[in-house]
Amino acid sequence: MTKFKLRLYITGRTPQSQRALSNLHEICRADLAGRFEIEVIDVLENPTLAENEKILATPTLVKRLPEPVRKIIGDLSDRSKVLLGLDLETLDPEGAHDHQRTH
Amino acid sequence: MTTNAPTDPRPGELEKLATGIVGFDQVANGGLPKGRTTLVSGTAGSGKTVLALQFLLSGVRDYDEHGVFVTFEEAPRDLMQNVRSFGWDLEGLVADKRIAVVDATPEPGEDVVHAGAYDLSALLARIENGIRSVGAKRVILDAIGALFPQLTDATIVRREIHRIAAGLRQLGVTTLVTMERTREEGGVGRWGVEEFVADNVILLRNRLENEKRRRTLEILKFRGATHHKGEYPFTIDADDGVTIIPLSAIELKQKSSDVRVSSGVPELDKMCGGGMYRDSIILVSGATGTGKTMLVAQYVQAAIEKGERALLFGAEESREQLTRNAAFSGVDFEKAERDGLLRIVCRYPEVMGLEDHLLQMKRDIHEFKPDRMAIDSLSAFERVSSAKSFREFVIALTSTIKFLEIPGLFTNTTSMLTGGETVTETHISTITDMIILLRYVELHGEMRRGLTVLKMRGTPHDKGIREYRIDSDGIHVLDRFRGVHGILSGSPVYSLEAERSRLNEMFRDGGADASQG
């Protein structure tokens, strides 16, 4: 089973940061139970890490493993986009990206 | 510190930060609004990045103010390499912790997914981190427009840039933001930039004029602070980077000298009441073959004889031609050059823009430190530029030599053989202190030469039109033309009195040699 190494960049304890955290936990619980590892980085406390990974926006979720590395920008409220970014979902060619599907 | 500024800010206006960019602080009445963000907008290749980088480097070099450099489009390594040609060692300054770099360029081939609301707090935190790490006072955000295609929502980007500008203001740093515009006229920039940084705007233009690039800088607005209005030409070159030529901002504070120096033609000195003033700008205007170049040679010779240094800019003839022509009138340019009393610089006007010529000439003048200088001919430069930039060129050049209190002699070639006036005469006559006209005079079926001192500032002078001859010793000024007027208009009219006596003499002497003398 593929192990997911995720890193979430946030800035302080803003509502947006909180939302991103709870959305991420929710998605991981539902779709990645038992095979994920989350590291949360507060940019205000650790700007050098953000510099190295060239983070512009927060919240940003970085999927470090499995490759390819991918950045998912936003508070992760668009669940289907997050799943797409994590390669857990493919876009329906019929444009059915409005409703959510789970594996 | 504003106290270092060449021009102090006016009372009641916002404090300014002297940039150290040559000429800019004069045009900006002291510098950029301190602690604020200023937008620099221009088309591709207009010099935005070089100007911004120079702002950082001058800060480090001249004011010991450190800087942060945020790049959105060009990778830091490429950028640092590109400015190496200016002799700017950004890598060294980064290693010395005087400049910090924030790389906000998109990762090539990076795959970004948008999934919900976001802001650019991370970018602001990184800039803040950079500012703290080097104790920066100056920040540049280069090519901020590159953010828009990176982040799909333009509204959010605009809002966030506004927030970053506010954040930087709180940190007390002075910021330059560069942004590309697609055309030389019209809106300030793409993406509706006016909406988020509208307080201070500088426009850089790079127009094609007479097949030459002409760069200008215009301060469109400074909120709560004064500045000079209109476009100012500037140059970018490998030695000084950006140099702005602050024409109307040039202060007319030059002292006026009453020391006289010789023109090299004794009779001409007499006509001027004992020589020309040491700090005067002399325009010698005449058609081809009237002896302008010879007058230049004698003017140079007058300096050499006294052991003084002369700098001669040739624009139409090569060094060899100038040297040979001078030899005709007994002036040895080669020896003078060997003795270090003369430097001849020949550059054809066509090789570069007038602004670059100006910069080069100023450099030559500051290097050689001449006691007098000449340009033969000035009108050659007029050919390759618009009337406006030519006038600007002359103003800037004359103010440089006036400041040094040395005389400058410029020649002007008129197109008509007799009479007439040229654009050069009309455009720069107000700038000159002395105008000498050399004219062919058609008199009694013969071409003769006439010279007059049309204008001489600050002293009475001989206003007559004098005949002159050229021989192997140079120019000899003779007596006035008598019994004739209208010489300068090119169609002389003989007065009846003189004509009658001439006719009388002709008949008395048989008329054979009456036309001579």
Side-chain angles (χ1 to χ4, degrees):
Chain A
M1 226 169 32
T2 359
K3 184 109 177 160
F4 278 75
K5 282 188 90 169
L6 305 174
R7 186 181 267 178
L8 180 68
Y9 284 93
I10 55 167
T11 18
R13 305 183 67 81
T14 60
Q16 207 154 260
S17 305
Q18 299 301 323
R19 255 197 324 273
L21 265 172
S22 66
N23 284 335
L24 179 62
H25 280 297
E26 159 63 26
I27 289 166
C28 288
R29 207 169 27 243
D31 295 283
L32 295 169
R35 53 187 182 117
F36 66 90
E37 201 176 279
I38 300 174
E39 193 185 358
V40 178
I41 311 274
D42 188 340
V43 174
L44 300 180
E45 285 164 16
N46 206 335
T48 317
L49 262 186
E51 187 66 50
N52 294 343
E53 215 154 1
K54 293 175 74 172
I55 304 296
L56 295 180
T58 43
T60 293
L61 178 67
V62 183
K63 172 175 76 88
R64 298 163 64 79
L65 279 178
E67 299 213 3
V69 175
R70 184 171 291 134
K71 285 177 186 164
I72 303 166
I73 290 173
D75 64 5
L76 312 179
S77 54
D78 189 338
R79 188 188 169 96
S80 64
K81 287 275 187 61
V82 179
L83 294 176
L84 191 76
L86 294 173
D87 296 320
L88 294 172
E89 170 96 334
T90 44
L91 251 192
D92 191 311
E94 301 299 316
H97 51 276
D98 279 345
H99 49 262
Q100 297 172 2
R101 294 185 297 160
T102 48
H103 290 272
Chain B
M1 290 298 292
T2 30
T3 45
N4 293 331
T7 323
D8 282 335
R10 310 283 152 91
E13 76 168 319
L14 275 181
E15 204 184 333
K16 296 273 183 69
L17 178 96
T19 60
I21 300 169
V22 179
F24 180 83
D25 297 335
Q26 273 167 285
V27 174
N29 277 347
L32 289 173
K34 194 174 181 177
R36 303 295 165 94
T37 295
T38 302
L39 178 71
V40 178
S41 179
T43 51
S46 59
K48 303 179 292 291
T49 304
V50 180
L51 182 82
L53 281 174
Q54 187 143 19
F55 167 66
L56 276 199
L57 284 158
S58 298
V60 172
R61 240 181 350 212
D62 307 336
Y63 302 95
D64 199 27
E65 292 177 352
H66 295 183
V68 172
F69 154 38
V70 188
T71 174
F72 291 90
E73 199 166 58
E74 216 175 340
R77 193 186 303 153
D78 296 344
L79 231 148
M80 290 185 191
Q81 208 126 56
N82 292 349
V83 298
R84 273 187 170 271
S85 58
F86 295 107
W88 295 348
D89 178 20
L90 274 178
E91 284 105 328
L93 294 174
V94 172
D96 289 353
K97 291 216 162 279
R98 288 195 241 221
I99 285 183
V101 177
V102 174
D103 182 0
T105 58
E107 198 73 54
E110 191 182 62
D111 198 3
V112 177
V113 176
H114 291 261
Y118 62 87
D119 57 40
L120 296 183
S121 303
L123 176 60
L124 181 58
R126 285 167 61 192
I127 299 173
E128 269 194 66
N129 180 46
I131 293 171
R132 288 216 183 85
S133 70
V134 297
K137 291 265 181 266
R138 304 179 177 209
V139 173
I140 61 172
L141 311 180
D142 188 45
I144 204 165
L147 266 183
F148 288 86
Q150 257 193 84
L151 303 161
T152 43
D153 192 336
T155 325
I156 294 181
V157 179
R158 274 198 290 273
R159 182 195 72 203
E160 290 303 307
I161 293 177
H162 190 80
R163 210 161 61 89
I164 289 171
L168 292 172
R169 188 166 159 173
Q170 271 183 352
L171 293 166
V173 292
T174 307
T175 308
L176 265 190
V177 180
T178 75
M179 171 124 208
E180 190 165 318
R181 67 200 294 222
T182 43
R183 283 175 303 166
E184 299 289 7
E185 311 301 331
V188 165
R190 299 165 73 186
W191 320 104
V193 276
E194 295 96 325
E195 291 165 38
F196 55 85
V197 242
D199 280 1
N200 312 300
V201 177
I202 295 172
L203 296 178
L204 299 185
R205 294 192 180 90
N206 187 20
R207 292 198 194 92
L208 202 56
E209 252 179 38
N210 292 5
E211 299 178 10
K212 288 269 183 319
R213 284 283 167 195
R214 177 175 146 88
R215 298 176 186 280
T216 64
L217 173 146
E218 178 188 11
I219 298 174
L220 194 66
K221 55 175 160 176
F222 276 175
R223 183 157 292 177
T226 62
H227 59 85
H228 286 267
K229 294 183 176 62
E231 293 182 37
Y232 292 86
F234 73 94
T235 58
I236 298 179
D237 83 341
D239 291 345
D240 297 328
V242 174
T243 304
I244 290 135
I245 302 160
L247 293 160
S248 61
I250 290 170
E251 291 172 57
L252 287 168
K253 272 191 195 157
Q254 298 103 353
K255 287 172 282 182
S256 186
S257 168
D258 50 11
V259 179
R260 304 247 188 182
V261 294
S262 169
S263 66
V265 181
E267 298 96 330
L268 185 59
D269 290 346
K270 247 178 265 164
M271 287 177 77
C272 307
M276 21 184 233
Y277 289 120
R278 193 180 59 190
D279 59 350
S280 51
I281 306 295
I282 305 131
L283 183 69
V284 176
S285 184
T288 175
T290 46
K292 297 184 299 296
T293 302
M294 187 159 288
L295 196 64
V296 170
Q298 284 181 264
Y299 165 87
V300 168
Q301 172 78 353
I304 297 168
E305 274 172 3
K306 290 181 70 184
E308 293 181 343
R309 295 142 76 85
L311 178 59
L312 170 59
F313 292 103
E316 283 177 327
E317 293 169 302
S318 67
R319 159 188 305 273
E320 289 71 27
Q321 281 169 303
L322 286 170
T323 308
R324 202 179 53 213
N325 292 347
F328 275 129
S329 48
V331 183
D332 192 347
F333 274 4
E334 275 176 340
K335 181 178 184 299
E337 277 213 286
R338 275 198 308 276
D339 295 346
L341 293 176
L342 173 66
R343 181 179 288 180
I344 302 173
V345 180
C346 289
R347 281 188 210 102
Y348 287 105
E350 283 78 7
V351 297
M352 52 187 161
L354 269 195
E355 290 78 19
D356 293 297
H357 274 293
L358 176 67
L359 200 69
Q360 293 288 346
M361 285 178 166
K362 280 179 150 181
R363 220 169 265 156
D364 293 328
I365 291 169
H366 288 300
E367 250 175 51
F368 189 63
K369 297 181 179 59
D371 298 295
R372 57 173 65 187
M373 63 88 74
I375 299 180
D376 189 22
S377 73
L378 185 65
S379 42
F381 290 97
E382 185 197 312
R383 283 203 309 265
V384 298
S385 68
S386 67
K388 186 173 181 291
S389 49
F390 179 65
R391 191 177 156 81
E392 287 169 354
F393 166 75
V394 177
I395 294 177
L397 189 66
T398 49
S399 75
T400 303
I401 61 180
K402 283 242 167 194
F403 182 76
L404 297 169
E405 290 185 48
I406 61 169
L409 186 143
F410 307 143
T411 67
N412 170 49
T413 309
T414 54
S415 50
M416 288 161 77
L417 289 180
T418 58
E421 61 174 18
T422 64
V423 182
T424 307
E425 283 173 5
T426 31
H427 277 260
I428 69 160
S429 57
T430 51
I431 303 159
T432 57
D433 298 300
M434 190 174 163
I435 300 176
I436 300 170
L437 296 185
L438 304 179
R439 290 289 189 261
Y440 283 112
V441 183
E442 187 201 332
L443 216 55
H444 309 304
E446 187 184 28
M447 271 305 195
R448 284 151 70 174
R449 295 186 176 97
L451 170 155
T452 187
V453 178
L454 191 65
K455 156 185 169 184
M456 187 166 173
R457 196 167 280 166
T459 190
H461 65 273
D462 184 341
K463 295 178 182 67
I465 301 172
R466 307 276 290 262
E467 177 159 22
Y468 68 95
R469 288 235 178 94
I470 296 175
D471 61 23
S472 59
D473 291 331
I475 291 177
H476 300 282
V477 182
L478 311 170
D479 273 338
R480 287 189 185 208
F481 285 105
R482 292 197 187 274
V484 57
H485 58 265
I487 289 173
L488 292 184
S489 69
S491 41
V493 178
Y494 314 108
S495 68
L496 284 176
E497 189 62 39
E499 194 67 8
R500 198 175 297 135
S501 62
R502 224 179 82 83
L503 285 170
N504 285 341
E505 277 182 29
M506 272 170 82
F507 289 117
R508 194 188 307 147
D509 297 344
D513 45 23
S515 60
Q516 313 231 319

